[in-house]
Amino acid sequence: PVADDRGAMRREAMNYPIQGCLRGETRMFEETKGYVQIRSLVGRAISVWDGERFSRAAVVASGKKQLIRLVLKGGHRIECSPDHKFLVRNNNGGEAWKTAAEIRVQERVVLAGGLRKWEFDLCLPPARPGRSWNATTANLNEIGTREELGEWLGRVASDGWINEKKGVNLLIAEHEEILLPKLLALTQRLGHVTHQTRVTKHQPKRLHRLVFSCVGLGRQLKHMGIKERVPDVAWRSRGVMCGYLRGLFDGTAHPDGPVLTFGRGNKHLGWAREVQEALLLLGIRSRVGVYNTRVNIRVMKKDVH
């Protein structure tokens, strides 16, 4: 129990250097919890990834602080108190700990080393079926492996349509037909799927639509915020995260590297920044671009492979 450890936590805290504060929504990697928001760890003795190893630490709520936003090249944004320090490297290779106000343009914030693998309980939200006698009881646990689950969620997030009263529709364009057999097979694991193909005079290219009528699944996906953010289930599993990003980026091939496009607005910008953070967790650097009609993420050429 936390109450039993308070004395030990206080004694250990005296040996820790005083650190600036990060906003509660900021994610950090805890050895037994995964990549979670700091506010969920308040009052606990934890083991946190420091870029090279897991180190003992304690998370303490320290009250209201002045908030600053450090925006790095590429659109990465860190929200913290003015006294929070970052490890930076200059053009000569020298390193130093500096606050945001002390960082100069020619300096670079040092990235933490990535983790090879992390897998925790997915904690999927329950699937509540409809009330009709023949209601489909499918849920996401039936998809298959964690990577397959992630890939299917990524496709639904990018090219899906969800209705809590009707179920899920998944669209596949003609230039993506190579993916159709796999997506059809994954969806069929949930139950019966209707496959429709549309070609019109004004839209001569084929458009495939997979229709899966399941109220419970629609509710499950809505609860996960699949069309608004990176779902929590992806942060808890490297396999799910890899599959999710693969599904999200499917069909985005470009000579200069993968480009993922969102609509405009704060909701889409927040989602794009979460995807950028997820990519960085896997060691893939990217840039977020904000335009009048859209927000996009472009993977940097050095990491396209």
Side-chain angles (χ1 to χ4, degrees):
V2 173
D4 296 338
D5 295 332
R6 286 176 181 172
M9 289 170 63
R10 290 194 188 97
R11 291 190 294 274
E12 291 176 7
M14 294 178 65
N15 297 321
Y16 287 113
I18 300 299
Q19 300 289 335
C21 296
L22 290 167
R23 193 169 183 179
E25 289 81 3
T26 305
R27 290 182 180 272
M28 63 191 304
F29 204 100
E30 206 281 325
E31 188 172 16
T32 62
K33 303 292 183 182
Y35 201 55
V36 296
Q37 294 182 341
I38 291 179
R39 63 184 178 186
S40 68
L41 301 172
V42 171
R44 299 183 182 183
I46 62 173
S47 179
V48 63
W49 179 252
D50 65 7
E52 297 180 354
R53 64 185 67 85
F54 283 102
S55 301
R56 294 173 66 189
V59 179
V60 180
S62 57
K64 292 184 178 180
K65 295 285 189 299
Q66 181 183 355
L67 178 69
I68 65 168
R69 291 186 177 94
L70 178 65
V71 181
L72 307 178
K73 185 176 181 180
H76 295 282
R77 187 174 70 169
I78 304 172
E79 297 183 326
C80 58
S81 61
D83 57 340
H84 186 81
K85 290 190 175 182
F86 300 85
L87 181 61
V88 300
R89 182 179 296 133
N90 58 36
N91 292 334
N92 296 323
E95 294 184 351
W97 289 93
K98 293 186 176 183
T99 64
E102 296 170 334
I103 299 176
R104 298 293 174 258
V105 175
Q106 65 271 21
E107 295 174 323
R108 301 290 183 266
V109 174
V110 178
L111 298 177
L115 286 159
R116 289 187 176 182
K117 190 175 183 180
W118 70 92
E119 298 293 340
F120 298 93
D121 185 3
L122 298 183
C123 298
L124 284 166
R128 295 180 291 111
R131 297 181 179 179
S132 62
W133 66 271
N134 61 342
T136 304
T137 59
N139 67 76
L140 295 175
N141 287 309
E142 300 172 17
I143 284 287
T145 68
R146 291 191 169 195
E147 286 208 16
E148 289 173 331
L149 168 62
E151 189 167 356
W152 191 82
L153 290 174
R155 283 297 307 194
V156 173
S158 63
D159 293 309
W161 177 79
I162 304 166
N163 188 306
E164 291 184 72
K165 296 182 179 180
K166 295 183 179 180
V168 181
N169 283 220
L170 189 57
L171 303 178
I172 300 98
E174 183 175 296
H175 68 276
E176 302 174 302
E177 286 181 336
I178 191 173
L179 304 170
L180 180 59
K182 183 176 184 179
L183 291 172
L184 179 59
L186 288 177
T187 311
Q188 285 176 333
R189 293 179 186 177
L190 298 170
H192 176 71
V193 179
T194 301
H195 177 194
Q196 303 171 350
T197 304
R198 188 185 71 184
V199 177
T200 67
K201 179 179 179 181
H202 299 290
Q203 293 179 324
K205 292 187 176 181
R206 291 183 297 277
L207 179 65
H208 302 270
R209 184 170 71 162
L210 306 182
V211 182
F212 183 71
S213 300
C214 178
V215 173
L217 186 64
R219 290 172 177 170
Q220 195 177 24
L221 292 170
K222 281 281 189 179
H223 182 76
M224 295 170 67
I226 197 70
K227 301 289 286 186
E228 300 175 357
R229 62 181 184 271
V230 176
D232 291 340
V233 64
W235 296 115
R236 299 188 60 81
S237 163
R238 189 182 193 278
V240 174
M241 182 64 83
C242 288
Y244 173 80
L245 292 171
R246 184 184 306 121
L248 203 62
F249 275 87
D250 276 344
T252 62
H254 189 277
D256 294 329
V259 179
L260 184 63
T261 301
F262 296 82
R264 64 179 177 180
N266 291 332
K267 180 185 76 172
H268 291 105
L269 179 57
W271 189 4
R273 284 177 172 150
E274 283 199 6
V275 171
Q276 185 184 45
E277 187 174 357
L279 288 167
L280 198 58
L281 190 61
L282 298 169
I284 302 170
R285 292 163 294 179
S286 61
R287 292 180 178 173
V288 171
V290 181
Y291 306 95
N292 291 334
T293 59
R294 69 190 188 282
V295 175
N296 68 26
I297 302 175
R298 183 184 298 273
V299 174
M300 295 179 66
K301 286 186 178 181
K302 293 181 179 179
D303 294 336
V304 165
H305 66 281

